[in-house]
Amino acid sequence: MSNKAVAVVTGASSGIGAVYAERLAARGYDLLLVARRADRLAQLGERLGREHGVAVETWALDLADPDELRPLEARLEAQPAAVLINNAGTGGLGPTARTGADAQEALIRLNVVALTRLSLAALTGFRQSNAGDLVNIASVVAFSPSAGGASYSGSKAFVLNFTRSLQQEYAGSGIRIQAVLPGPIRTEFFSSQGLPDTVFPDTAYISAEDLVDAALAGLGAGEAITVPTLLTPGRWDEMEAARKAFLAEVVGGQVAERYNPA
Ligand SMILES: NC(=O)c1ccc[n+]([C@@H]2O[C@H](COP(=O)([O-])OP(=O)(O)OC[C@H]3O[C@@H](n4cnc5c(N)ncnc54)[C@H](OP(=O)(O)O)[C@@H]3O)[C@@H](O)[C@H]2O)c1
């Protein structure tokens, strides 16, 4: 590696992660790209190194495997990155009765455990210079429980609350922490799970390029939470106001009248 700032991108072998890798290389970051498919990473790394003159390392890791995750954590702690894009994720979509407990656990290991451990490792590195960007890819399904998406929507709700809580912990520091909530994006996400490209109507999708460009614009603007397809920002403010009113009420120390025994 050169002595330039390093951006680490998980799930860089396709889709959103590959576009992040491209955009960060274009901004001059050296890259550490992570996913399971070594061939894809190598091809992308070779091209980005050649086109942008940056140094690229590729680590073929199964992040759902704790033994494979540990070396990446150690690297982030010992050699602080400038940016971590916590993007690797899987859907495990389908009725839980069919997909089974092992698939749901594997999803949680990747979407929740790996993202958590890598966030904490990156933050350990960032604290050394009080600088760094942590970007966690959640989803709009954080707000959308669904039959067929039990662990997936649960995992993305975790990512959102986890990331928002870290933002509070690091408020006032030089470290930026962003949650990105994509809606449907045209990637291999659905086909890699054996699902058709018609999970959502064609018009519901945006491209990974548009998603990443908007997310990076949001980061640059200092946004904590970026929802690229939210056309009416006031909706978020309304949700926040309702959430705060709900929370203020439920810590009032009173049981609701409707639960009083008759
Ligand atoms: N597409 C959408 O509609 C959508 C919407 C909202 C949020 N998201 C989120 O966006 C993120 C990226 O998804 P995408 O749409 O770009 O899908 P994608 O093209 O399928 O990319 C997923 C990436 O994660 C990597 N990955 C999967 N399992 C892994 C594992 N066990 N260890 C390491 N890497 C692993 C994959 O690489 P390998 O297979 O080579 O390991 C791939 O690079 C995910 O977190 C997803 O939940 C997507």
Side-chain angles (χ1 to χ4, degrees):
M1 292 297 246
S2 74
N3 58 5
K4 282 198 260 176
V6 175
V8 178
V9 183
T10 71
S13 60
S14 63
I16 294 167
V19 177
Y20 263 112
E22 169 99 47
R23 297 302 193 252
L24 292 167
R27 291 177 180 211
Y29 288 94
D30 285 341
L31 298 174
L32 196 172
L33 306 180
V34 183
R36 291 166 303 182
R37 286 171 291 180
D39 52 344
R40 291 265 203 124
L41 290 179
Q43 272 176 20
L44 178 66
E46 190 280 321
R47 180 172 69 78
L48 296 182
R50 182 167 31 82
E51 290 179 358
H52 299 287
V54 298
V56 185
E57 275 184 84
T58 58
W59 286 21
L61 301 177
D62 180 352
L63 295 173
D65 179 337
D67 291 337
E68 298 196 27
L69 180 61
R70 292 288 182 269
L72 184 56
E73 290 179 63
R75 163 66 181 262
L76 288 166
E77 288 170 359
Q79 290 173 248
V83 178
L84 170 63
I85 311 291
N86 250 328
N87 163 75
T90 189
L93 300 175
T96 53
R98 179 167 60 72
T99 55
D102 289 347
Q104 303 297 309
E105 181 180 331
L107 178 153
I108 292 164
R109 283 188 189 283
L110 179 65
N111 295 15
V112 174
V113 177
L115 178 136
T116 299
R117 296 197 67 102
L118 294 176
S119 293
L120 300 187
L123 288 166
T124 299
F126 292 169
R127 285 197 299 274
Q128 293 182 28
S129 56
N130 190 30
D133 292 336
L134 171 63
V135 176
N136 285 343
I137 306 299
S139 167
V140 294
V141 306
F143 297 108
S144 179
S146 69
S151 299
Y152 184 64
S153 71
S155 75
K156 294 303 184 179
F158 173 90
V159 173
L160 179 59
N161 259 17
F162 173 70
T163 307
R164 296 189 82 176
S165 303
L166 289 179
Q167 287 163 356
Q168 292 182 19
E169 198 175 320
Y170 283 85
S173 80
I175 294 167
R176 296 193 296 185
I177 302 176
Q178 181 196 32
V180 176
L181 277 62
I185 311 295
R186 275 262 171 256
T187 65
E188 297 168 22
F189 183 74
F190 299 101
S191 59
S192 68
Q193 298 172 58
L195 296 169
D197 269 350
T198 51
V199 172
F200 295 98
D202 204 40
T203 51
Y205 291 86
I206 67 168
S207 69
E209 286 78 7
D210 286 350
L211 182 274
V212 171
D213 289 339
L216 286 170
L219 181 68
E223 275 188 2
I225 300 170
T226 299
V227 192
T229 50
L230 179 63
L231 305 184
T232 313
R235 280 194 209 291
W236 182 267
D237 302 333
E238 286 166 21
M239 268 198 327
E240 279 296 280
R243 187 178 68 83
K244 285 180 182 152
F246 168 84
L247 283 171
E249 185 169 319
V250 297
V251 296
Q254 269 186 291
V255 174
E257 185 66 32
R258 66 186 175 282
Y259 299 119
N260 284 346

XYZ file of all heavy atoms in Angstrom, residues 10-18 34-41 61-65 86-91 106 110-111 137-141 152 155-156 180-190 192-193 200 205 208 211, ligand 1:
458
model
N -16.622 -3.412 2.219
C -17.036 -4.812 2.272
C -18.140 -5.039 1.242
O -18.898 -4.128 0.910
C -17.526 -5.217 3.675
O -18.786 -4.591 3.937
C -16.520 -4.859 4.748
N -18.190 -6.265 0.739
C -19.171 -6.562 -0.312
C -18.846 -5.814 -1.580
O -19.732 -5.318 -2.280
N -17.542 -5.734 -1.895
C -17.108 -4.921 -3.044
C -17.128 -5.705 -4.353
O -16.825 -5.140 -5.401
C -15.706 -4.373 -2.793
N -17.492 -6.973 -4.318
C -17.405 -7.774 -5.544
C -18.579 -7.546 -6.488
O -18.549 -8.030 -7.626
C -17.291 -9.265 -5.203
O -18.425 -9.682 -4.481
N -19.597 -6.835 -6.045
C -20.723 -6.538 -6.950
C -21.545 -5.387 -6.398
O -21.314 -4.920 -5.275
C -21.615 -7.778 -7.143
O -22.199 -8.167 -5.929
N -22.496 -4.947 -7.207
C -23.539 -4.030 -6.758
C -23.040 -2.746 -6.125
O -22.131 -2.082 -6.616
N -23.654 -2.418 -5.015
C -23.411 -1.140 -4.337
C -21.946 -1.028 -3.902
O -21.315 0.023 -4.059
C -24.366 -1.022 -3.117
C -25.828 -0.933 -3.600
C -23.999 0.164 -2.243
C -26.866 -1.128 -2.505
N -21.394 -2.117 -3.383
C -20.013 -2.086 -2.902
C -19.025 -1.814 -4.020
O -18.046 -1.064 -3.845
N -19.266 -2.409 -5.188
C -18.361 -2.194 -6.322
C -18.401 -0.727 -6.754
O -17.374 -0.153 -7.138
C -18.737 -3.119 -7.485
N -13.193 -6.194 0.096
C -13.480 -7.458 0.772
C -14.775 -8.064 0.234
O -15.764 -7.349 0.044
C -13.639 -7.226 2.298
C -13.869 -8.547 3.027
C -12.438 -6.487 2.876
N -14.759 -9.359 0.002
C -15.958 -10.159 -0.311
C -15.460 -11.602 -0.420
O -14.264 -11.853 -0.205
C -16.629 -9.710 -1.606
N -16.361 -12.537 -0.749
C -15.902 -13.931 -0.857
C -15.289 -14.227 -2.222
O -14.358 -15.001 -2.339
C -17.065 -14.892 -0.593
C -17.540 -14.882 0.849
C -18.865 -15.564 0.983
N -19.868 -14.947 0.107
C -21.129 -15.306 0.028
N -21.577 -16.305 0.763
N -21.957 -14.682 -0.787
N -15.832 -13.627 -3.297
C -15.402 -14.007 -4.656
C -14.083 -13.323 -5.022
O -14.054 -12.182 -5.488
C -16.495 -13.666 -5.658
C -17.692 -14.614 -5.586
C -18.844 -14.127 -6.421
N -19.459 -12.930 -5.874
C -20.496 -12.289 -6.399
N -21.037 -12.736 -7.533
N -20.999 -11.220 -5.829
N -12.995 -14.076 -4.841
C -11.651 -13.530 -5.058
C -11.464 -13.062 -6.497
O -10.832 -12.028 -6.748
C -10.611 -14.590 -4.718
N -12.028 -13.805 -7.467
C -11.820 -13.458 -8.874
C -12.432 -12.097 -9.203
O -11.814 -11.250 -9.851
C -12.382 -14.563 -9.791
C -13.826 -14.933 -9.461
O -14.307 -14.577 -8.350
O -14.492 -15.548 -10.318
N -13.632 -11.875 -8.724
C -14.301 -10.595 -8.966
C -13.525 -9.442 -8.324
O -13.374 -8.374 -8.915
C -15.701 -10.608 -8.342
C -16.684 -11.522 -9.016
C -17.499 -10.723 -10.029
N -18.747 -11.399 -10.284
C -19.944 -10.846 -10.126
N -20.067 -9.612 -9.698
N -21.015 -11.521 -10.405
N -13.075 -9.665 -7.097
C -12.332 -8.610 -6.397
C -11.045 -8.282 -7.153
O -10.676 -7.119 -7.308
C -11.986 -9.051 -4.976
C -13.128 -9.157 -3.969
C -12.594 -9.634 -2.621
C -13.866 -7.833 -3.803
N -12.786 -12.955 1.894
C -13.179 -13.419 3.232
C -14.660 -13.714 3.266
O -15.459 -12.979 2.652
C -12.925 -12.323 4.282
C -11.523 -11.781 4.485
C -11.570 -10.658 5.522
C -10.591 -12.892 4.931
N -15.026 -14.738 4.012
C -16.436 -14.929 4.360
C -16.651 -14.236 5.702
O -16.254 -14.751 6.752
C -16.761 -16.425 4.459
C -18.223 -16.656 4.823
O -18.931 -15.666 5.139
O -18.654 -17.822 4.797
N -17.274 -13.082 5.663
C -17.414 -12.266 6.879
C -18.407 -12.863 7.870
O -18.480 -12.405 9.018
C -17.820 -10.835 6.509
C -16.776 -10.063 5.701
C -17.343 -8.714 5.249
C -15.507 -9.847 6.521
N -19.172 -13.861 7.423
C -20.082 -14.535 8.359
C -19.335 -15.537 9.226
O -19.901 -16.093 10.171
C -21.200 -15.235 7.581
N -18.063 -15.779 8.888
C -17.249 -16.736 9.635
C -16.350 -15.952 10.596
O -15.467 -15.200 10.153
C -16.399 -17.540 8.630
C -15.501 -18.552 9.326
O -15.192 -18.375 10.524
O -15.087 -19.507 8.647
N -19.429 -0.327 5.365
C -19.950 -1.608 5.846
C -21.151 -1.964 4.977
O -22.300 -1.647 5.312
C -20.419 -1.432 7.300
C -19.541 -2.149 8.281
O -18.975 -3.205 7.986
N -19.458 -1.587 9.469
N -20.877 -2.623 3.863
C -21.915 -2.820 2.847
C -22.306 -4.281 2.660
O -23.433 -4.561 2.248
C -21.395 -2.226 1.526
C -22.171 -2.714 0.319
O -23.302 -2.279 0.082
N -21.586 -3.640 -0.437
N -21.404 -5.219 2.928
C -21.720 -6.634 2.665
C -22.996 -7.009 3.397
O -23.164 -6.703 4.572
C -20.569 -7.529 3.120
N -23.894 -7.640 2.676
C -25.157 -8.039 3.301
C -25.849 -9.065 2.447
O -25.587 -9.184 1.247
N -26.712 -9.826 3.103
C -27.466 -10.841 2.380
C -28.927 -10.759 2.801
O -29.247 -10.164 3.825
C -26.877 -12.244 2.641
O -27.483 -13.171 1.775
C -27.072 -12.674 4.091
N -29.803 -11.354 1.989
C -31.240 -11.173 2.203
C -31.922 -12.306 2.934
O -32.851 -12.079 3.704
N -26.935 -17.303 9.612
C -25.846 -16.837 8.734
C -26.071 -15.381 8.349
O -25.127 -14.577 8.295
C -25.769 -17.724 7.494
N -23.620 -12.063 9.256
C -23.084 -11.106 8.278
C -23.656 -9.703 8.507
O -22.913 -8.739 8.707
C -23.407 -11.575 6.847
C -22.911 -10.653 5.743
C -21.381 -10.580 5.717
C -23.436 -11.111 4.373
N -24.989 -9.599 8.455
C -25.629 -8.273 8.461
C -25.514 -7.572 9.809
O -25.520 -6.344 9.861
C -27.119 -8.391 8.113
C -27.368 -8.875 6.697
O -26.458 -9.378 6.050
N -28.592 -8.755 6.218
N -24.550 0.443 5.642
C -25.646 0.310 4.680
C -26.790 -0.448 5.347
O -26.695 -1.651 5.613
C -25.199 -0.423 3.397
C -23.961 0.262 2.780
C -26.357 -0.475 2.393
C -24.146 1.703 2.356
N -27.855 0.276 5.620
C -29.069 -0.326 6.178
C -30.022 -0.580 5.024
O -29.620 -1.104 3.976
C -29.664 0.600 7.238
N -31.273 -0.217 5.186
C -32.268 -0.384 4.117
C -33.549 0.295 4.575
O -33.793 0.406 5.786
C -32.560 -1.873 3.872
O -33.715 -2.025 3.060
N -34.392 0.669 3.616
C -35.704 1.197 4.008
C -36.549 0.117 4.685
O -37.505 0.437 5.393
C -36.479 1.805 2.815
C -35.771 3.040 2.284
C -36.722 0.787 1.725
N -36.181 -1.166 4.504
C -36.953 -2.215 5.187
C -36.710 -2.213 6.696
O -37.367 -2.952 7.423
C -36.735 -3.640 4.610
C -36.988 -3.696 3.135
C -35.395 -4.206 4.979
N -34.106 -10.378 7.749
C -33.525 -9.287 6.950
C -33.998 -7.939 7.475
O -33.188 -7.051 7.764
C -33.872 -9.456 5.470
C -33.199 -8.404 4.612
C -31.806 -8.340 4.517
C -33.944 -7.457 3.909
C -31.181 -7.363 3.759
C -33.324 -6.490 3.144
C -31.944 -6.438 3.064
O -31.322 -5.469 2.312
N -32.540 -7.312 10.770
C -31.111 -6.960 10.741
C -30.927 -5.500 10.328
O -30.044 -4.802 10.833
C -30.338 -7.887 9.785
O -30.576 -7.581 8.427
N -31.752 -5.030 9.412
C -31.581 -3.654 8.941
C -32.110 -2.647 9.969
O -31.596 -1.533 10.072
C -32.251 -3.479 7.575
C -31.562 -4.297 6.468
C -30.079 -3.945 6.326
C -29.397 -4.667 5.186
N -27.979 -4.293 5.048
N -27.043 4.664 5.621
C -27.633 4.828 4.290
C -28.788 3.835 4.170
O -28.622 2.648 4.466
C -26.587 4.572 3.183
C -27.220 4.649 1.798
C -25.437 5.568 3.303
N -29.936 4.334 3.736
C -31.120 3.478 3.622
C -31.554 3.397 2.159
O -32.349 4.231 1.691
C -32.275 4.043 4.468
C -32.290 3.693 5.958
C -31.078 4.212 6.696
C -33.565 4.217 6.605
N -31.048 2.399 1.434
C -31.511 2.238 0.046
C -32.923 1.667 0.007
O -33.314 0.864 0.856
C -30.523 1.212 -0.548
C -29.396 1.093 0.444
C -29.990 1.433 1.776
N -33.668 2.079 -1.030
C -34.867 1.332 -1.436
C -34.385 0.273 -2.416
O -33.202 -0.084 -2.421
N -35.272 -0.242 -3.281
C -34.838 -1.269 -4.238
C -33.761 -0.753 -5.204
O -33.907 0.318 -5.795
C -36.126 -1.601 -5.009
C -37.228 -1.178 -4.097
C -36.719 0.008 -3.345
N -32.681 -1.530 -5.318
C -31.539 -1.157 -6.171
C -31.301 -2.302 -7.143
O -31.311 -3.471 -6.741
C -30.251 -0.958 -5.328
C -30.501 -0.053 -4.101
C -29.124 -0.400 -6.203
C -30.872 1.361 -4.399
N -31.038 -1.959 -8.405
C -30.752 -2.999 -9.421
C -29.358 -3.563 -9.208
O -28.370 -2.985 -9.637
C -30.795 -2.395 -10.813
C -32.119 -2.308 -11.418
C -32.452 -3.439 -12.398
N -33.865 -3.328 -12.733
C -34.817 -4.107 -12.247
N -34.555 -5.108 -11.454
N -36.080 -3.905 -12.583
N -29.263 -4.668 -8.503
C -27.973 -5.344 -8.291
C -28.247 -6.846 -8.364
O -29.359 -7.268 -8.683
C -27.387 -5.023 -6.895
O -28.269 -5.574 -5.901
C -27.217 -3.541 -6.654
N -27.245 -7.622 -7.974
C -27.426 -9.085 -7.950
C -28.099 -9.549 -6.666
O -28.203 -10.753 -6.422
C -26.052 -9.770 -8.063
C -25.347 -9.479 -9.361
C -23.882 -9.921 -9.325
O -23.519 -10.790 -8.507
O -23.103 -9.373 -10.119
N -28.519 -8.591 -5.841
C -29.033 -8.927 -4.514
C -30.166 -9.956 -4.585
O -30.192 -10.902 -3.805
C -29.519 -7.644 -3.834
C -30.007 -7.834 -2.435
C -29.115 -8.051 -1.389
C -31.360 -7.794 -2.138
C -29.569 -8.219 -0.083
C -31.821 -7.963 -0.840
C -30.926 -8.170 0.188
N -31.087 -9.753 -5.508
C -32.241 -10.657 -5.579
C -31.879 -11.949 -6.327
O -32.175 -13.043 -5.862
C -33.434 -9.940 -6.224
C -33.871 -8.737 -5.436
C -33.506 -7.458 -5.833
C -34.605 -8.881 -4.270
C -33.876 -6.347 -5.082
C -34.981 -7.775 -3.507
C -34.618 -6.500 -3.923
N -29.033 -13.379 -6.668
C -28.106 -14.251 -5.942
C -28.830 -15.089 -4.890
O -28.305 -16.075 -4.401
C -26.991 -13.431 -5.284
O -27.530 -12.633 -4.251
N -30.051 -14.687 -4.581
C -30.848 -15.485 -3.637
C -31.854 -16.370 -4.367
O -32.770 -16.920 -3.743
C -31.640 -14.566 -2.705
C -30.799 -13.679 -1.853
C -31.674 -12.679 -1.107
O -32.557 -13.049 -0.359
N -31.426 -11.398 -1.345
N -39.966 -6.239 -6.934
C -40.642 -4.945 -6.947
C -40.942 -4.605 -8.406
O -40.265 -5.106 -9.313
C -39.743 -3.848 -6.355
C -39.434 -4.044 -4.895
C -38.240 -4.633 -4.501
C -40.330 -3.640 -3.922
C -37.952 -4.825 -3.149
C -40.048 -3.824 -2.570
C -38.864 -4.419 -2.189
N -37.080 0.507 -8.884
C -35.621 0.374 -8.725
C -34.886 1.636 -9.164
O -35.295 2.312 -10.105
C -35.101 -0.785 -9.577
C -35.531 -2.155 -9.090
C -36.755 -2.688 -9.479
C -34.719 -2.912 -8.255
C -37.166 -3.942 -9.039
C -35.118 -4.169 -7.817
C -36.340 -4.674 -8.211
O -36.736 -5.910 -7.777
N -27.359 1.264 -8.750
C -26.372 1.337 -7.660
C -25.557 2.624 -7.784
O -25.159 3.219 -6.776
C -25.467 0.112 -7.702
N -27.556 5.447 -6.358
C -27.631 5.289 -4.885
C -26.344 5.783 -4.234
O -26.373 6.588 -3.287
C -27.884 3.812 -4.576
C -28.050 3.306 -3.137
C -26.764 2.966 -2.440
C -28.905 4.232 -2.272
N -30.317 -4.267 -3.732
C -31.235 -3.747 -2.951
O -32.411 -3.596 -3.343
C -30.875 -3.286 -1.559
C -31.799 -2.496 -0.873
C -31.493 -2.071 0.411
C -30.288 -2.412 0.984
N -29.405 -3.189 0.295
C -28.162 -3.554 0.966
O -27.063 -3.153 0.186
C -25.938 -3.973 0.489
C -25.268 -4.428 -0.798
O -26.180 -5.196 -1.539
P -26.252 -5.166 -3.129
O -27.616 -4.740 -3.490
O -25.117 -4.456 -3.698
O -26.202 -6.740 -3.433
P -25.103 -7.660 -4.108
O -24.773 -7.175 -5.464
O -25.634 -9.049 -3.954
O -23.834 -7.455 -3.178
C -23.676 -8.077 -1.940
C -22.201 -8.060 -1.617
O -22.002 -8.675 -0.328
C -20.998 -9.680 -0.470
N -21.238 -10.749 0.497
C -22.341 -11.526 0.612
N -22.158 -12.454 1.579
C -20.897 -12.242 2.074
C -20.125 -12.877 3.073
N -20.611 -13.922 3.768
N -18.871 -12.427 3.310
C -18.377 -11.384 2.603
N -19.063 -10.729 1.656
C -20.311 -11.170 1.387
C -21.145 -10.171 -1.895
O -19.931 -10.711 -2.369
P -19.544 -12.272 -2.442
O -20.756 -13.019 -2.886
O -18.415 -12.273 -3.413
O -19.117 -12.614 -1.050
C -21.401 -8.858 -2.619
O -20.184 -8.197 -2.880
C -26.450 -5.108 1.373
O -26.157 -4.825 2.730
C -27.960 -5.045 1.162
O -28.678 -5.530 2.275
C -29.657 -3.621 -0.970
